[in-house]
Amino acid sequence: MLEQLRQRLQALQKPPGIEDNPGVLPLGVEAIDAPLGGGLARGALHEIAAPSEAHLAAAAGFVLGLAALSLSPSPRSNTSVIPGRERSERTRNPETHSEIASGFRVRGLTAAPRNDGEGAGRGEFVWIAEDMALTESGAPYGPGLDAFGLKPEQLVTVTAACTRDLLWAMEEALRCRAIAAVIGEMRGSEIDSVAVRRLSLAAAESGALALLLRATPPTDASTAATRWIVGAAPSSPSSGWECERAPRFAATLVRNRRGPVGSWILQWSDIDERFLLATHAQPVAAPPLDRPHRKVA
């Protein structure tokens, strides 16, 4: 009865135009999808923070993996095979955006026109970053996008001068129904609860995925659907060359509006283009240092 009343209140509070069921984005790992209610909620805001600035690259890689999963699948072209894996020759579009009237500098590539029937669904995502974030951490890198199965022409990047401008640009991008995911990269400043609520409503209106990437764990309250702390995890020394170069993430779900939280070691597979549940890099119990090694009969 309480659940029915909660759903009734949410329906009364929901502004017109918001999608009733934008669906979920499965991560492909049952241990994570189950507590999330089937996957990451679309049409919602999710926060991903690094445990420290040294792990920001890992957190950004996790966000790229989510963006790759959110994009509509498209057939690969000009495929060549090298030992042990399949790669695709991705075409670049040299045409760049110019500065827009609002004062934001757009550095991304325009989406290439589609004439092969794959225009159905969303195929682009937006990365919005503060000037200081770009100075400290750099911009998205082409080969890095390729490792996550993303094409550079699917990415539009925007530079904002401050946090307020970044949140405004995220809200405007989320209202575009051609966008699958909007990523906002910011430093460690706190966010106004009203601005976070506006982002959540904008994401709910379009059904897009709103991802807020933060350099350090936030301390402010949030209405986001989930909040993650994601850092780098060591690779397994006995997994072989292909697994050693695959990125691993120590992902901790610290807030989940749909259920429990937890921690997992994830690995991105650039062959399947999805997350995999990885084992720990080291044994649970390390061998004692003060005793000689003995063979087990």
Side-chain angles (χ1 to χ4, degrees):
M1 187 176 204
L2 291 176
E3 182 63 25
Q4 294 178 353
L5 180 59
R6 185 181 296 108
Q7 294 177 358
R8 178 60 178 168
L9 290 175
Q10 290 178 352
L12 293 174
Q13 294 175 356
K14 184 177 66 175
I18 293 182
E19 295 189 11
D20 292 329
N21 185 20
V24 295
L25 176 67
L27 273 68
V29 179
E30 179 62 26
I32 301 179
D33 290 337
L36 290 175
L40 212 62
R42 294 182 184 268
L45 174 65
H46 305 274
E47 293 187 28
I48 297 93
S52 65
E53 293 198 19
H55 291 264
L56 184 57
F62 181 77
V63 168
L64 281 178
L66 297 179
L69 293 176
S70 69
L71 296 178
S72 302
S74 57
R76 293 186 174 188
S77 58
N78 300 328
T79 301
S80 59
V81 177
I82 62 176
R85 62 188 299 202
E86 180 184 23
R87 299 288 288 176
S88 61
E89 299 292 336
R90 308 187 187 277
T91 58
R92 269 67 173 177
N93 182 4
E95 182 181 0
T96 59
H97 286 293
S98 60
E99 295 189 5
I100 55 180
S102 62
F104 297 105
R105 186 170 65 258
V106 182
R107 301 176 291 104
L109 301 178
T110 57
R114 298 180 178 180
N115 53 11
D116 52 0
E118 53 176 293
R122 306 167 189 235
E124 284 76 36
F125 68 106
V126 180
W127 189 301
I128 307 169
E130 293 177 323
D131 285 330
M132 184 57 67
L134 293 175
T135 302
E136 294 288 338
S137 307
Y141 185 47
L145 297 176
D146 184 79
F148 286 92
L150 296 167
K151 302 177 183 178
E153 59 265 27
Q154 292 177 299
L155 171 64
V156 176
T157 56
V158 180
T159 302
C162 59
T163 302
R164 183 186 62 181
D165 292 344
L166 180 142
L167 297 175
W168 176 86
M170 284 187 67
E171 182 180 347
E172 292 298 311
L174 285 169
R175 300 187 187 280
C176 177
R177 293 186 176 270
I179 301 299
V182 176
I183 303 168
E185 181 184 355
M186 59 174 290
R187 306 301 292 174
S189 59
E190 295 185 356
I191 308 177
D192 181 19
S193 59
V194 176
V196 175
R197 179 61 176 167
R198 290 178 63 91
L199 285 179
S200 299
L201 291 175
E205 289 179 3
S206 64
L209 201 64
L211 304 172
L212 195 59
L213 176 61
R214 308 182 75 163
T216 55
T219 58
D220 51 338
S222 174
T223 59
T226 62
R227 175 175 280 180
W228 301 76
I229 306 296
V230 180
S235 60
S236 175
S238 60
S239 300
W241 179 82
E242 286 296 331
C243 293
E244 284 183 2
R245 65 188 302 275
R248 284 193 171 190
F249 312 96
T252 301
L253 179 61
V254 297
R255 170 184 167 82
N256 180 15
R257 292 174 60 185
R258 292 189 173 186
V261 296
S263 298
W264 304 272
I265 302 295
L266 298 178
Q267 178 173 303
W268 178 262
S269 172
D270 58 353
I271 298 177
D272 300 328
E273 295 185 352
R274 66 185 183 93
F275 288 106
L276 302 174
L277 192 62
T279 57
H280 290 279
Q282 298 294 335
V284 175
L289 299 178
D290 57 341
R291 297 180 184 179
H293 177 70
R294 293 186 302 174
K295 293 184 179 180
V296 178

